[in-house]
Amino acid sequence: MKFIRFLKESFQIVIRGSKRYYLWLAFLFILILWGGSGYILQLKQGLLVTNMRDSVSWGFYIGNFTFLVGVAAAAIMLVIPAYIYNWKPLKEVVIFGELLAISAVIMCILFVIVDVGNPLRLWHMVPLIGKLNIPASLLGWDSLVLSLYFLLNVVVVSYLLNTLFYKREINNSKLTPLILLSIPIAIGIHTVTAFLYNGFAGRPYWNSALLAPKFLASAFCSGPAVLIILFQILKKTTTFEIKQEAIWKIAELMAYAMFINLFFFGAEVFKEVYSNTEHLVHLKYLFIGVGENRDIVMYGWLSLIISVIAFLLFLIPATRKNVVTLNIGAILIWMGVYIEKGIALLTPGFTPDTLGQIYIYRPSAIEVKVSVAIFAIGFLIFTMMTKIAIAIIFEDFNIDSLRRKKALPAES
Amino acid sequence: MSVKKTVLSPNKLNRRNFLKAAAVTSSTAALAACGSKEAREEFLQRDFRSLSQDQIAKVLQRLETQYEREYGVKFTVSAKEPIPETFFGYALDISRCIGCRKCVYACVEENNQTLEPQMHWIQVLEMEKEKGVDFLHSNLYYDHEEVPHEGHFYLPVQCQQCKNPPCVKACPVGATWATEDGIVVVDYNWCIGCRSCMAACPYGARHYNWGKIQLEAENINPDTHYLGNRPRYKGAVEKCTFCIQRVREGRYPKCVEVCPVGARKFGNLLDKDSEIRYILENKRVLILKEELNTQPKFYYFYGT
Ligand code: SF4
Ligand code: SF4
């Protein structure tokens, strides 16, 4: 009952806000409608409206999915340094990290839904009801760990916010194990997603043991990048307090993660270039093109250069501690990892295909539209949840203030 | 194996019914949109391997009515089980194949493959004699007035019917499996269309229905098998089945029949006197990408 009351009151928070807030919501809704129309078309005509074909059978949707799994995972992994370095607002770091994780997982699930040809049949994947093919299928595992991760985060966040709302003591003996559990699962979702690609022996570009470690390293860059920006916004607009050192520390950790990421990348390039087997062709497709086909070369280099610049910005203390360069770095890292996961990981793995044929894949307008809609849904969910969290944590939104305001009779 | 009566304990039955009921309720919204009895049955249909004989009979009937209505042709959909003591294998004579693609188009018609975007279960690769079997330098889209083209040879590739099939492993819902007679099949009604299997297959053998199926009424083959050439669905995967609708009746796959130079051989690997066994024992055969340990039952050989 109490939880329902909390939800009801939270709903009031979500629907009320400044003009800027309404404008932002309206903007997101327009994007959702616009992109949703693309999805309706896709439902009618099939995935024909995408540019995926038998040769390149996964594209922009699964690329976005992969990227977002990283964001979801890393948001929670940030809890580890928060514990170790004892950052002051640990609770806040956890809450906002989890909110980000929840929104990211929702987007992940949506990207899978729009990618399958028969969304109505998705119940076939539900354990017990359908026929989930585990332990064999990695997509099976992925769906399982993702749902688990999602549930766990929802439970933790609702517990935390609900407790804060009712101004009760947080029961750490219950909460801490859950948070600690979410860390290995966070690592798990990203590892399993990497294994999903990794396990295809017929696709040499992905069939490298470095793939999962590389995934974790790059996620440790992209997830915190979002939080860095968010924390600064919160600091400016609310009474949110986070030690500046904590932000610098996050940036420093990101620099290390980016270094590891780049190092792994270098190790793979060495292996391929020096041994110069026919598997080199995928890397070639990404960085110099194969024959006339230089379609994604630009993105290969862009992602690499951006990542190096961001790495340097975060490595050098002067630029790390400068607000402007710090934020530029965070945005660059985001872009770098986005291109890496969305394009550089996926497309070259399929090109040339297993029979050596080249199909040039570029996302179609519909694919872009649908993806924009999914991002808009994610942002919408994140905005609303963050608004509730901010109200509870910083704006004195709780049961007492409500009672005072409405002069409600005390609840027994 | 393909048709198996599932034995369930009463307890389990209850649970299953309960779960089914759960599935029904959770999907009422979806059903509201297409609420006919047929659509409901189709939506709730379980995977082929857990259907009882009775259920299978009902499904086949439903499909026959559906297909007739949709394509204006009378269909038979069978679910004939494997012939005992058979394990199929295939052999293709590289030295004979001239790259005429007769098999490709015969396969399209025999198996009711969609015409838009064109689907070919058999892909004939043109390779340079100097390079040997080399996929990277092969050409799928060769277009000469006359074949064979000088300095080239041809390598048709279709599902290799792996004994250790990576596609089966990859499927999150178990919609694709190897039958007792050695054919890797897809339950087109259970496939969710995630395309994991396509990423997993090292031979480009799995094909996807990107759009609605397009068939020409006059070219439709109405003699079909549930796991084979019956018309498929938008958003589901399909592949070569050794013409399951024919071989389980003791006939040859269509491609074997139409090849003008007799490059294609097919038979029962368990039968000592079969032609396929003769080839394996007396010719030097090779399999594609043996390093992947997929263990194909599709062999290539040099007959001359
Ligand atoms: S060739 Fe491909 S589709 Fe056929 S059994 Fe092997 S992995 Fe599966
Ligand atoms: S596309 Fe169909 S058969 Fe292939 S893995 Fe997905 S559900 Fe299984």
Side-chain angles (χ1 to χ4, degrees):
Chain A
M1 252 7 260
K2 284 205 157 169
F3 186 62
I4 291 177
R5 165 104 198 263
F6 160 67
L7 288 182
K8 266 192 201 149
E9 299 293 353
S10 301
F11 183 69
Q12 295 298 320
I13 293 285
V14 167
I15 56 170
R16 272 186 222 135
S18 62
K19 219 183 203 151
R20 273 208 347 250
Y21 175 71
Y22 284 135
L23 272 177
W24 172 239
L25 290 193
F27 173 66
L28 291 178
F29 273 119
I30 290 172
L31 288 185
I32 293 171
L33 288 180
W34 176 72
S37 70
Y39 186 58
I40 290 172
L41 193 75
Q42 182 186 307
L43 275 183
K44 267 195 212 133
Q45 301 188 2
L47 288 160
L48 197 61
V49 299
T50 73
N51 278 343
M52 293 184 274
R53 287 299 177 265
D54 286 354
S55 255
V56 180
S57 49
W58 278 342
F60 200 49
Y61 294 153
I62 294 296
N64 278 309
F65 162 80
T66 311
F67 171 74
L68 288 164
V69 171
V71 174
I76 291 307
M77 290 196 279
L78 204 59
V79 175
I80 308 173
Y83 262 116
I84 296 175
Y85 294 105
N86 194 15
W87 294 338
K88 215 182 71 200
L90 180 65
K91 193 175 64 209
E92 284 80 359
V93 173
V94 172
I95 291 179
F96 289 109
E98 304 227 346
L99 293 183
L100 181 63
I102 292 173
S103 328
V105 177
I106 291 177
M107 288 189 265
C108 287
I109 293 170
L110 289 175
F111 271 114
V112 172
I113 293 178
V114 298
D115 189 67
V116 300
N118 271 303
L120 267 188
R121 293 186 190 165
L122 274 170
W123 67 270
H124 298 178
M125 265 180 106
V126 180
L128 297 176
I129 297 176
K131 191 181 174 190
L132 188 65
N133 181 23
I134 53 170
S137 163
L138 279 154
L139 191 59
W141 275 110
D142 215 9
S143 68
L144 207 64
V145 281
L146 269 175
S147 337
L148 196 66
Y149 186 64
F150 177 68
L151 287 179
L152 198 62
N153 282 320
V154 169
V155 167
V156 170
V157 168
S158 344
Y159 172 74
L160 271 174
L161 292 181
N162 187 46
T163 314
L164 292 174
F165 176 76
Y166 283 109
K167 297 220 140 192
R168 283 196 305 246
E169 274 295 295
I170 290 171
N171 183 345
N172 273 324
S173 64
K174 268 194 209 146
L175 187 68
T176 316
L178 284 185
I179 295 181
L180 290 182
L181 180 65
S182 63
I183 293 171
I185 298 186
I187 297 174
I189 57 170
H190 216 24
T191 307
V192 175
T193 307
F195 285 174
L196 174 66
Y197 294 96
N198 210 182
F200 298 139
R203 309 274 179 184
Y205 185 68
W206 300 326
N207 195 223
S208 141
L210 266 185
L211 200 71
K214 227 174 116 197
F215 264 47
L216 289 182
S218 67
F220 233 119
C221 306
S222 55
V226 189
L227 288 179
I228 282 199
I229 295 175
L230 178 75
F231 287 160
Q232 293 182 76
I233 296 176
L234 290 181
K235 231 176 120 177
K236 282 243 166 71
T237 53
T238 66
T239 54
F240 178 75
E241 262 183 67
I242 183 166
K243 284 193 234 147
Q244 198 57 37
E245 290 83 55
I247 288 187
W248 293 337
K249 199 82 208 171
I250 300 178
E252 193 187 328
L253 290 176
M254 285 163 68
Y256 300 150
M258 193 40 110
F259 172 76
I260 295 173
N261 193 19
L262 290 171
F263 175 72
F264 285 168
F265 170 73
E268 287 203 317
V269 170
F270 166 77
K271 175 212 154 203
E272 294 297 359
V273 172
Y274 191 80
S275 46
N276 193 12
T277 69
E278 64 177 34
H279 297 168
L280 180 60
V281 69
H282 302 285
L283 212 57
K284 265 195 189 150
Y285 181 66
L286 181 60
F287 285 108
I288 40 184
V290 174
E292 306 274 278
N293 309 302
R294 324 187 77 251
D295 233 61
I296 61 167
V297 171
M298 189 182 96
Y299 296 103
W301 286 105
L302 191 66
S303 153
L304 185 63
I305 292 168
I306 285 179
S307 300
V308 172
I309 296 177
F311 166 63
L312 292 175
L313 286 179
F314 280 2
L315 185 69
I316 303 166
T319 43
R320 186 196 316 150
K321 294 182 178 169
N322 177 306
V323 186
V324 180
T325 42
L326 175 81
N327 285 316
I328 292 179
I331 292 170
L332 286 183
I333 281 212
W334 230 69
M335 284 169 56
V337 177
Y338 184 72
I339 298 173
E340 186 202 319
K341 287 283 171 294
I343 300 173
L345 170 83
L346 210 74
T347 322
F350 282 113
T351 336
D353 66 18
T354 47
L355 296 184
Q357 308 304 308
I358 292 186
Y359 167 77
I360 304 288
Y361 168 77
R362 253 180 244 124
S364 72
I366 299 283
E367 280 173 271
V368 175
K369 253 173 127 172
V370 173
S371 304
V372 165
I374 293 179
F375 271 100
I377 293 175
F379 276 102
L380 184 71
I381 292 171
F382 187 64
T383 307
M384 291 179 169
M385 290 192 308
T386 315
K387 188 151 190 296
I388 300 171
I390 290 175
I392 291 181
I393 303 174
F394 308 115
E395 290 168 357
D396 194 35
F397 165 62
N398 54 46
I399 193 75
D400 291 348
S401 67
L402 286 179
R403 283 200 185 119
R404 254 179 278 128
K405 249 190 247 157
K406 295 182 189 169
L408 282 176
E411 217 176 344
S412 53
Chain B
M1 232 311 274
S2 60
V3 183
K4 203 177 68 186
K5 194 148 191 146
T6 0
V7 189
L8 290 168
S9 70
N11 248 339
K12 225 173 160 187
L13 250 177
N14 278 340
R15 193 189 69 186
R16 173 152 290 182
N17 281 342
F18 165 74
L19 292 172
K20 248 189 196 162
V24 180
T25 21
S26 65
S27 48
T28 14
L31 288 173
C34 44
S36 76
K37 180 163 167 276
E38 201 177 63
R40 204 158 43 236
E41 274 173 14
E42 192 176 311
F43 175 77
L44 290 175
Q45 184 185 323
R46 294 207 60 85
D47 64 298
F48 185 72
R49 281 181 290 175
S50 54
L51 295 181
S52 69
Q53 298 285 15
D54 292 349
Q55 287 168 320
I56 288 177
K58 267 197 205 123
V59 167
L60 298 184
Q61 218 175 18
R62 189 189 78 224
L63 289 173
E64 283 173 357
T65 345
Q66 252 174 20
Y67 291 153
E68 185 172 352
R69 194 176 52 225
E70 181 135 347
Y71 300 100
V73 185
K74 202 157 172 44
F75 274 84
T76 53
V77 185
S78 108
K80 195 169 164 47
E81 300 184 40
I83 307 168
E85 297 297 304
T86 38
F87 197 61
F88 292 122
Y90 203 113
L92 196 147
D93 188 347
I94 302 178
S95 50
R96 283 206 196 188
C97 173
I98 52 167
C100 65
R101 294 199 182 107
K102 285 229 161 56
C103 52
V104 176
Y105 298 110
C107 175
V108 168
E109 282 193 14
E110 167 68 31
N111 289 296
N112 297 320
Q113 288 161 49
T114 183
L115 302 171
E116 189 54 50
Q118 245 183 55
M119 188 185 296
H120 297 159
W121 287 356
I122 304 175
Q123 317 241 335
V124 185
L125 299 171
E126 183 178 71
M127 302 202 167
E128 293 168 43
K129 280 189 174 154
E130 258 176 35
K131 293 210 161 85
V133 174
D134 175 352
F135 292 110
L136 268 188
H137 294 93
S138 70
N139 182 7
L140 176 62
Y141 307 101
Y142 65 89
D143 182 20
H144 314 297
E145 286 199 347
E146 256 178 53
V147 281
H149 195 57
E150 219 198 303
H152 291 80
F153 71 98
Y154 297 86
L155 186 87
V157 181
Q158 61 213 69
C159 173
Q160 306 285 298
Q161 309 290 358
C162 309
K163 271 181 267 174
N164 181 18
C167 55
V168 168
K169 225 164 47 174
C171 178
V173 294
T176 184
W177 67 94
T179 58
E180 237 165 44
D181 48 358
I183 308 175
V184 174
V185 293
V186 181
D187 181 350
Y188 316 117
N189 278 66
W190 191 252
C191 168
I192 58 173
C194 68
R195 307 188 295 293
S196 285
C197 54
M198 298 177 75
C201 172
Y203 306 99
R206 303 186 72 99
H207 304 273
Y208 195 67
N209 288 294
W210 296 98
K212 196 175 165 335
I213 312 318
Q214 310 282 342
L215 300 175
E216 269 169 12
E218 64 268 29
N219 291 332
I220 282 179
N221 175 6
D223 297 321
T224 68
H225 191 284
Y226 181 91
L227 298 170
N229 59 340
R230 69 186 170 102
R232 272 81 69 189
Y233 305 93
K234 179 181 85 190
V237 148
E238 59 182 79
K239 60 182 275 300
C240 158
T241 65
F242 275 168
C243 284
I244 198 168
Q245 67 279 5
R246 299 171 136 249
V247 297
R248 283 197 180 168
E249 307 274 0
R251 298 163 72 199
Y252 279 120
K254 188 73 179 188
C255 49
V256 172
E257 270 180 12
V258 299
C259 177
V261 293
R264 292 171 167 268
K265 313 288 182 193
F266 177 83
N268 180 2
L269 291 168
L270 302 181
D271 174 4
K272 280 204 197 69
D273 304 322
S274 63
E275 191 183 13
I276 185 94
R277 279 288 285 270
Y278 178 84
I279 291 167
L280 294 188
E281 276 153 30
N282 295 291
K283 304 286 177 184
R284 297 297 163 263
V285 300
L286 59 102
I287 48 172
L288 298 181
K289 306 194 186 188
E290 76 291 341
E291 75 275 15
L292 300 179
N293 192 28
T294 48
Q295 304 171 20
K297 292 192 297 296
F298 197 105
Y299 302 91
Y300 293 86
F301 70 106
Y302 297 95
T304 45

